[in-house]
Amino acid sequence: MKTHLALAALSLLTVSTFAFAAPPSPMKAPNPIVRHRFTADPSARVFDGRLYVYTSHDRDDATGYDMIDWWLFSTDDMVTWKDHGAVFTLKDFAWAGKKAWAPDAIAYNGKYYLFLPTDQSKIGVAVSDKPYGPFVDAIGAPLIDNATMPEAGVEPIDPALLVDDDGTPWLYFGCRQPMVAKLDPSLTKLAGPLQQLVILNPSGEPVPQAMPGKDPQRPAGYGEGPSIFKREGCYYFVYSNGWATGTTLVYAMGKSPTGPFTFKGPVMFPVNCSTHHGMVGEFQDKWYIFYHTADLSGGNGYRRSVCVDELTFDQDGRIIPVKGTSGIQ
Ligand code: FUB
């Protein structure tokens, strides 16, 4: 892959900045926003006015989701991005073995926390005084481990955080079963029971699980990759509805962080990738959808790249579905 190889030399630098000479829009870099390595599962957070995007990291020769570390990129103008390098690796958790999957980050009480899934069954917490690290294991053991906590559901992956307006921290996660729990202010233990999040169809029936390996015949079906944000008093719960070419990022809305949520429809239309993991965030008075595609690798779903596009809402607060853009010729 020419683009990738040509820029591979840049990856030797732990910290670098990169910008695109002629972006199609002066407002942001073309997609994907990182081209010198593969990145996936973006968590986009604004800390002290700067946008930080934490990602998982698909290896150049990946033939599966065998990732080993998490990376960080940041910007203050959506055009020039700084590569902060790998901010945490599986080895930094003494108890983790494999599968460094989708991260989320949060600032709380003056510290920065990463919530990191490993082993397709555990979630750990890392903490730092700065958004870019150094991060250390905050607990010394997983916060969530379905070997010892069967109530954590079938596959506790893909953590997502919300700090509500009253300061309460909430943790969401889960593949096929969306889960929620209140966190203790230390962010290193739970402050309430693990509950399955209720997402209802407009008819009032709970949405089903998504169907693995099939094009979504269940548009509202819960697959994985949850994220949550609050806008004008409403909670928006965003998730992926499956694992196939037609997989769509969808959302449900609710009036409380614990739901119930009601399915509304697509956030964005399918992309060139069987996993469709995204997160909505606001930066400098604009809303964006952060997601990944396999455009840079020519369609290899194990070698993904983080992208971002603007997102808007209608007058009723409904998301106007986004068609992703690609800067790859
Ligand atoms: O990146 C590994 C897994 O693929 C994530 O945990 C899922 O959300 C999907 O993007």
Side-chain angles (χ1 to χ4, degrees):
M1 184 189 47
K2 242 194 295 178
T3 314
H4 193 108
L5 291 177
L7 292 167
L10 278 179
S11 69
L12 296 173
L13 301 171
T14 334
V15 175
S16 60
T17 58
F18 48 98
F20 298 93
S25 152
M27 304 309 289
K28 74 169 200 69
N31 285 323
I33 57 174
V34 179
R35 298 182 179 204
H36 58 284
R37 68 182 63 256
F38 293 117
T39 53
D41 304 323
S43 156
R45 298 291 186 185
V46 180
F47 299 136
D48 294 329
R50 189 169 177 89
L51 176 66
Y52 292 85
V53 178
Y54 300 81
T55 75
S56 45
H57 167 213
D58 290 342
R59 295 201 240 184
D60 288 1
D61 57 354
T63 54
Y65 301 116
D66 55 349
M67 297 98 91
I68 59 168
D69 50 18
W70 295 272
W71 284 65
L72 174 62
F73 305 86
S74 72
T75 187
D76 58 14
D77 62 6
M78 298 299 284
V79 176
T80 302
W81 287 84
K82 177 173 179 172
D83 180 345
H84 294 267
V87 287
F88 210 75
T89 78
L90 284 175
K91 287 186 182 152
D92 297 323
F93 281 143
W95 45 265
K98 57 186 177 178
K99 297 188 178 176
W101 287 3
D104 198 8
I106 203 83
Y108 201 70
N109 284 345
K111 292 195 183 291
Y112 299 87
Y113 295 84
L114 300 180
F115 281 67
L116 303 168
T118 74
D119 301 280
Q120 215 170 346
S121 60
K122 302 181 180 84
I123 295 172
V125 185
V127 64
S128 173
D129 292 332
K130 304 278 186 215
Y132 41 82
F135 286 92
V136 295
D137 186 349
I139 307 175
L143 171 71
I144 304 288
D145 181 354
N146 75 352
T148 53
M149 305 163 80
E151 70 277 19
V154 288
E155 200 178 317
I157 63 166
D158 294 356
L161 282 299
L162 172 78
V163 177
D164 210 347
D165 298 339
D166 65 1
T168 306
W170 294 95
L171 170 66
Y172 304 79
F173 62 88
C175 179
R176 303 190 295 286
Q177 286 174 344
M179 305 297 299
V180 60
K182 188 189 281 190
L183 286 169
D184 180 79
S186 65
L187 300 203
T188 58
K189 54 188 181 194
L190 301 180
L194 286 162
Q195 301 171 52
Q196 189 159 342
L197 198 73
V198 175
I199 307 173
L200 303 171
N201 270 311
S203 60
E205 294 295 307
V207 302
Q209 288 186 5
M211 301 260 288
K214 301 202 173 168
D215 265 325
Q217 299 141 338
R218 298 173 168 176
Y222 179 80
E224 61 182 358
S227 60
I228 185 164
F229 66 97
K230 195 172 182 184
R231 179 180 177 271
E232 295 181 0
C234 296
Y235 298 83
Y236 293 71
F237 187 74
V238 175
Y239 60 98
S240 155
N241 70 358
W243 303 268
T245 50
T247 298
T248 306
L249 211 51
V250 297
Y251 75 109
M253 289 176 71
K255 294 282 177 206
S256 142
T258 51
F261 288 84
T262 303
F263 178 74
K264 296 295 178 191
V267 173
M268 75 178 296
F269 298 112
V271 294
N272 175 23
C273 193
S274 60
T275 58
H276 198 167
H277 186 117
M279 178 171 184
V280 171
E282 190 182 16
F283 180 56
Q284 295 175 347
D285 299 324
K286 285 187 175 173
W287 288 88
Y288 292 95
I289 176 74
F290 298 82
Y291 60 101
H292 62 226
T293 69
D295 287 344
L296 186 63
S297 65
N300 186 326
Y302 299 125
R303 303 175 196 175
R304 302 162 291 179
S305 302
V306 166
C307 297
V308 57
D309 280 299
E310 248 183 273
L311 175 126
T312 52
F313 298 82
D314 72 13
Q315 285 183 338
D316 299 324
R318 300 277 294 248
I319 291 173
I320 298 173
V322 173
K323 186 173 181 320
T325 61
S326 177
I328 302 293
Q329 307 305 320

